[in-house]
Amino acid sequence: MRVAVLANLKRNAPRSPDDPPDAWVELDSDQTVEGIAAALEAWGHTTAIFEGNLDLPEALRRFRPDICFNICEGYWGDSREAHVPAMLEMMRIPYTGSRVLALALSLDKAMTKRVWIAEGLPTPPFQVFRRPDEPLHPRLTFPLFVKPNREGSGMGISAHSVVTNEAELREQVAYILRTYRQEALVEAFIDGPELTVGLLGNVEGDAAGLRPPRGWATEAGLDIGGVHVFPPMLVDLSPCPPDQRGLYTSYVKSEMPLGPRYLCPAPLDPASLREAQRLAFEAFRAIGACDLSRVDMRIDAATGQIYLLEINTLPGLNPEVSDMVLNARADGMAYDLLIHRILEAACRRYGLALEPAAAPAFRPLG
């Protein structure tokens, strides 16, 4: 197939003097897009890499792709991750990953949580602040966690994100509003282990009737209703600098991505592993995600309850450091195979036939 790899690269970011200190960390590196292209070419596909900007429509008309492998994060707006997919739908070009609605929804953490609550899924109680002086809802008690409502890659998350009193809350909310120019999401802080679970594929059949049977969970990845759920991965942040306060901050994610210890399968009891995988599947299904996603969650150390934090419908795919890639590798899936499985999932969804190809000689990493 002719596959256009679409991305927004860090080196092309439209930087300005008033950018936040961690601006554009969610954009991709050349290593990532070149890794995706090389993986696809190893399976016999023809690829070309394009920047997801206003020149993209004309560039795609010249290249004439059969499908696009999309990892564009976008630049501006409250639905920026949906901009390129909307453009592709107007041009009637197939693409990998979630569709416009799911991408717009998942970027807005509060809206995602509202959908999950409607579906009966556990997520920490929260409040959206548009002004620093808004009254705190009585259901929220300290400690609380403050972050931008529409950012990824840990943007806006620092050692100051956990607030323990009214003064700290007001100061951090004001900082988020001023620096990131968007609402601040304030939620109950779940003090306990951080998990992330990758998913690959698409929900098949009647989504309302899809429930995993008892005893389906194992320590390896498994299939639920057409979706492959990777083993839950625990992100152990204890090796990171103490000034990060045990949080998965933007500094840890961007400056020392291999600083944490990634334990996969997570060292949990079978029931907790089973519940984490079930919740990841239900979170994915609830927002109508497609092809791939990664769900972040935390376990309350006191009660053992697992809470959904957010879903990343455009998870990082760097061949060496991205959580989704590490998660897949722990499940025995080499990088080249992961990339091709994403392409295969999208092709099945569009009814596109892939010509049989010999499996490439995988390039093991780590």
Side-chain angles (χ1 to χ4, degrees):
M1 302 186 79
R2 292 175 64 81
V3 184
V5 178
L6 313 183
N8 293 119
L9 297 174
K10 284 184 171 68
R11 59 179 169 83
N12 294 332
R15 304 183 189 279
S16 64
D18 60 345
D19 283 341
D22 51 2
W24 312 118
V25 295
E26 63 184 349
L27 302 190
D28 285 291
S29 65
D30 290 270
Q31 182 190 33
T32 297
V33 293
E34 290 167 4
I36 292 171
L40 293 170
E41 289 170 3
W43 285 89
H45 303 295
T46 299
T47 70
I49 298 170
F50 299 94
E51 180 75 24
N53 57 23
L54 293 175
D55 297 326
L56 182 61
E58 184 55 36
L60 291 179
R61 288 189 184 98
R62 292 195 299 268
F63 182 65
R64 301 180 63 84
D66 296 304
I67 191 169
C68 294
F69 197 107
N70 174 55
I71 59 170
C72 290
E73 297 284 350
Y75 294 136
W76 299 287
D78 58 7
S79 300
R80 63 182 182 273
E81 293 181 347
H83 289 173
V84 166
M87 184 186 298
L88 296 174
E89 290 189 3
M90 290 180 67
M91 299 177 70
R92 303 187 71 181
I93 300 175
Y95 58 93
T96 63
S98 290
R99 293 165 295 204
V100 172
L101 179 59
L103 288 167
L105 178 63
S106 63
L107 184 62
D108 191 311
K109 295 176 175 61
M111 291 302 295
T112 299
K113 286 160 75 72
R114 292 182 182 110
V115 171
W116 286 343
I117 290 170
E119 291 287 305
L121 300 176
T123 188
F126 71 98
Q127 180 178 346
V128 175
F129 280 73
R130 295 174 179 83
R131 302 189 323 271
D133 59 350
E134 290 185 49
L136 181 65
H137 196 284
R139 71 175 179 273
L140 293 176
T141 58
F142 296 104
L144 298 170
F145 196 85
V146 184
K147 58 186 174 183
N149 188 41
R150 295 187 303 274
E151 298 294 352
S153 301
M155 284 182 63
I157 296 177
S158 70
H160 302 291
S161 296
V162 179
V163 296
T164 59
N165 56 55
E166 191 80 18
E168 291 177 354
L169 169 67
R170 301 303 169 186
E171 181 179 354
Q172 191 62 16
V173 167
Y175 171 77
I176 295 298
L177 295 173
R178 179 178 67 252
T179 306
Y180 295 92
R181 298 180 288 279
Q182 61 185 270
E183 305 94 339
L185 176 66
V186 177
E187 62 185 358
F189 175 60
I190 306 303
D191 190 4
E194 179 138 355
L195 301 177
T196 191
V197 183
L199 304 102
L200 180 62
N202 290 294
V203 175
E204 296 174 352
D206 179 11
L210 286 172
R211 294 294 183 272
R214 291 182 179 179
W216 54 267
T218 68
E219 287 192 345
L222 49 98
D223 297 322
I224 311 172
V227 179
H228 185 76
V229 186
F230 292 122
M233 184 169 72
L234 187 146
V235 183
D236 176 11
L237 296 156
S238 62
C240 297
D243 62 2
Q244 301 302 300
R245 294 181 61 183
L247 301 175
Y248 211 4
T249 62
S250 62
Y251 174 81
V252 172
K253 289 190 175 187
S254 62
E255 300 300 323
M256 50 179 307
L258 296 180
R261 289 195 306 155
Y262 299 97
L263 307 176
C264 190
L268 304 173
D269 61 85
S272 296
L273 288 170
R274 177 168 63 248
E275 179 67 358
Q277 289 174 302
R278 181 189 75 82
L279 288 174
F281 171 78
E282 296 291 358
F284 179 88
R285 179 193 62 79
I287 70 161
C290 297
D291 301 342
L292 77 160
S293 284
R294 199 194 72 245
V295 177
D296 297 334
M297 51 189 80
R298 272 198 171 220
I299 306 175
D300 189 315
T303 65
Q305 171 70 56
I306 302 175
Y307 290 93
L308 297 169
L309 299 181
E310 55 190 78
I311 180 169
N312 190 335
T313 47
L314 283 174
L317 292 173
N318 182 283
E320 295 183 4
V321 301
S322 290
D323 287 357
M324 180 80 173
V325 175
L326 298 175
N327 202 190
R329 186 187 306 165
D331 197 28
M333 187 175 292
Y335 183 74
D336 291 10
L337 182 57
L338 170 65
I339 297 303
H340 203 255
R341 287 286 182 263
I342 295 168
L343 182 70
E344 288 176 341
C347 286
R348 284 195 300 271
R349 186 162 51 82
Y350 283 103
L352 299 176
L354 275 172
E355 294 183 7
F362 293 125
R363 304 183 302 277
L365 295 168

